[in-house]
Amino acid sequence: MLAHASGSLWLPPGDLATVLGAAGITLAAAEQTTPAEAVATAERLGYPLVAKIVSPDVLHKSDVGGVILGLDTPAAVVSAVETLVARTQRIGARLDGMLLQRQVSSGIEALVGVTIAPLFGPLLVCGLGGTLVEVLHDVVFRLTPVSDTDAAEMLTKRRANVLLDGYRGAPPGDREALIALLVRVSALVESVPELQEFNLNPVKVLAPGDGVMALDGRMRLAPLG
């Protein structure tokens, strides 16, 4: 794909899932489909589901109403697909299909990613809180490569670190699995030198022993040199 690219590009969902799978990073079960095949795809995946638009013109799907949650029947899937098609047409974006994904309701939300700093190179990014992390700016950066000790320290630097321990009676999260994810993302930087930007948000940190699961992600690559 990069061999024919004139500049940077965002990986489509299927290619992203392949890269993450090779890196040992778990994504919630999902399948790209067409509006005509959406119900058959939903029946194959099982309910409840989330529907998301797949468009090269839309980077942040939630900003344009491109994500619909809580689909638990074929009729709900049909309605969601019709709504997403209409919303995509309204903003003049190209629609390459729909992504249907198993909905994961439990867990603590986190953000894990990579950004390239002009002076320092790749930086690993971590924050707790999902979409709130962008409002609270409760994130920490660390130069790669990152060890498990570095990753554990990154988590303690966040104000929202208390969420992993079960804040005010809420269920705790699998801290060790989140540490392992940070180390895997750091290793991904070394394995994919073409990586320019990477973001997993939200990541669901499940109960201790149950691991972590990414619900959405994006990766931008650029040819070397």
Side-chain angles (χ1 to χ4, degrees):
M1 183 181 295
L2 277 178
H4 304 289
S6 58
S8 66
L9 56 84
W10 292 95
L11 283 186
D15 293 335
L16 176 62
T18 298
V19 172
L20 296 186
I25 298 172
T26 303
L27 273 172
E31 188 174 334
Q32 185 170 333
T33 187
T34 64
E37 296 294 326
V39 170
T41 303
E43 295 290 302
R44 188 163 53 250
L45 285 170
Y47 300 98
L49 292 166
V50 179
K52 306 175 183 180
I53 61 171
V54 178
S55 171
D57 303 323
V58 178
L59 188 56
H60 299 288
K61 295 179 284 293
S62 58
D63 290 351
V64 297
V67 179
I68 299 179
L69 306 172
L71 310 180
D72 53 10
T73 64
V77 171
V78 171
S79 176
V81 166
E82 292 174 348
T83 298
L84 291 177
V85 168
R87 288 174 179 172
T88 307
Q89 291 174 341
R90 187 163 60 246
I91 63 174
R94 189 181 94 198
L95 183 65
D96 287 347
M98 305 284 174
L99 189 74
L100 291 179
Q101 184 178 59
R102 288 293 300 272
Q103 183 166 319
V104 180
S105 300
S106 61
I108 300 164
E109 290 196 346
L111 172 151
V112 175
V114 175
T115 187
I116 307 297
L119 294 180
F120 301 105
L123 296 174
L124 184 65
V125 185
C126 180
L128 291 173
T131 54
L132 287 179
V133 75
E134 300 172 4
V135 176
L136 301 175
H137 304 292
D138 190 21
V139 296
V140 63
F141 299 85
R142 184 66 61 92
L143 283 168
T144 62
V146 166
S147 68
D148 53 355
T149 301
D150 296 329
E153 184 182 359
M154 288 178 72
L155 296 183
T156 65
K157 297 293 185 181
R158 303 285 37 88
R159 297 191 301 274
N161 179 55
V162 294
L163 297 176
L164 293 175
D165 297 323
Y167 184 64
R168 292 192 172 181
D174 195 332
R175 182 183 297 272
E176 294 305 314
L178 183 54
I179 290 171
L181 175 62
L182 289 169
V183 174
R184 288 182 184 277
V185 172
S186 174
L188 188 63
V189 174
E190 310 302 316
S191 302
V192 186
E194 299 88 353
L195 190 150
Q196 295 296 304
E197 186 177 344
F198 178 52
N199 190 6
L200 296 173
N201 187 27
V203 172
K204 287 284 191 172
V205 185
L206 305 175
D210 289 344
V212 295
M213 182 174 293
L215 302 190
D216 204 356
R218 54 194 178 95
M219 179 182 290
R220 183 168 62 87
L221 305 178
L224 295 176

